[in-house]
Amino acid sequence: MAAERVQKVLAAAGYGSRRACEALIADGRVTVNGSAATLGDRADAATDVITVDGVPVDAAQKIVVYALHKPAGVVTTASDPQGRPIVVDLVPPEPRVFPIGRLDADTEGLLLLTNDGDLAQLVAHPRHGVPKTYLVEAAGSVGSRELARLRRGVVLDDGPTAPARVAKVHRSGRTTAFEVTIREGRNRQVRRMADAVGGDVRRLVRTRVGPVSLGRLAAGRWRRLSPIEVDRLRRVAAGTPLNGRPESQRPPPRPIPPEL
């Protein structure tokens, strides 16, 4: 294996995105053959001894990608000073993985975790515009006019949103369920979009990231993506069409699944 930048070796070994690995190096926590690494250093994972906090890096571990159905109340971090449950406790401890992007504590649904730093950066970076689909259950006056506003884009405190794909699922009394697909990744964006049109979100479930669907995965459970699924995810994030068909061609929305 040819020498590569140390942050790339660390990302491939599951230490986070390249930016996170650069921070490890800048903080003086990484050594190569006993010497402190600096940004720009290169190393050969097959012959050089690389450590993080004194622990040797296993660059030969297998790449994995997990699909997790994150329950409400679980936080998307690797640790939490408040002692709340964290997503990495719901998947196997080895190899160590980290979440791709975030879901806020109250949001349920599909969260991807991996030890592939390159894939994580490709999927999570806003410039790649990987579509993410949510099912929203909201109280208030959310009718056809409000859904049309969401399709066109609404103005939030950090600027207007891009047009979204929106489909009404069902209405019961004063509660409306609708599906929304966005290609942005702002903090609590879907909740803020619903609030901007007068909707009070009672439940929010992410059902899809690119070509990966939540399906019937129960809350708190995980599954490992197949190599074919990982390849499809990587290709969508890179903007490569799948079988000549746009990713948007998929089945119509389904009702929000019941509590599991």
Side-chain angles (χ1 to χ4, degrees):
M1 184 183 296
E4 298 179 303
R5 292 190 182 275
V6 175
Q7 60 264 37
K8 183 175 181 180
V9 176
L10 294 178
Y15 284 84
S17 67
R18 290 197 194 179
R19 180 173 298 178
C21 293
E22 289 172 355
L24 291 175
I25 296 170
D27 290 342
R29 298 169 60 186
V30 182
T31 67
V32 178
N33 297 327
S35 300
T38 59
L39 291 175
D41 284 354
R42 292 177 175 270
D44 186 335
T47 58
D48 293 319
V49 178
I50 306 169
T51 70
V52 175
D53 296 331
V55 179
V57 171
D58 180 8
Q61 67 178 332
K62 293 182 178 179
I63 294 296
V64 298
V65 184
Y66 298 132
L68 170 70
H69 185 158
K70 188 190 88 66
V74 179
V75 295
T76 310
T77 57
S79 63
D80 184 66
Q82 300 178 38
R84 294 173 295 179
I86 57 178
V87 293
V88 295
D89 286 342
L90 299 178
V91 297
E94 296 294 337
R96 54 187 290 172
V97 295
F98 54 92
I100 300 177
R102 301 177 65 88
L103 289 177
D104 63 62
D106 296 331
T107 300
E108 309 163 52
L110 180 61
L111 180 70
L112 301 179
L113 300 97
T114 186
N115 58 352
D116 185 337
D118 288 341
L119 177 64
Q121 184 171 6
L122 194 64
V123 174
H125 201 290
R127 75 168 176 267
H128 299 299
V130 175
K132 301 173 181 66
T133 300
Y134 299 79
L135 282 168
V136 185
E137 196 173 77
S141 302
V142 183
S144 300
R145 181 177 301 177
E146 288 72 26
L147 296 182
R149 287 180 59 195
L150 294 177
R151 292 188 188 99
R152 294 192 300 267
V154 294
V155 177
L156 304 179
D157 56 6
D158 53 356
T161 65
R165 188 171 65 223
V166 180
K168 187 174 181 179
V169 177
H170 66 82
R171 183 178 180 88
S172 176
R174 287 184 55 79
T175 300
T176 301
F178 57 94
E179 182 188 62
V180 57
T181 299
I182 60 174
R183 292 178 178 268
E184 301 171 281
R186 307 189 207 178
N187 184 44
R188 300 176 68 86
Q189 181 174 339
V190 175
R191 291 181 183 275
R192 292 190 292 140
M193 289 171 64
D195 182 67
V197 298
D200 178 16
V201 175
R202 300 297 176 85
R203 190 174 178 213
L204 182 61
V205 183
R206 185 158 74 184
T207 60
R208 180 177 289 267
V209 176
V212 182
S213 173
L214 180 65
R216 297 183 179 275
L217 194 63
R221 303 301 295 270
W222 62 274
R223 68 178 182 87
R224 182 172 175 176
L225 298 192
S226 70
I228 292 177
E229 288 179 297
V230 174
D231 178 67
R232 288 170 60 87
L233 178 63
R234 195 182 303 274
R235 290 170 61 193
V236 166
T240 305
L242 300 177
N243 299 322
R245 297 171 57 193
E247 188 274 337
S248 59
Q249 293 182 3
R250 54 185 182 81
R254 299 177 301 169
I256 290 180
E259 296 286 353
L260 296 169

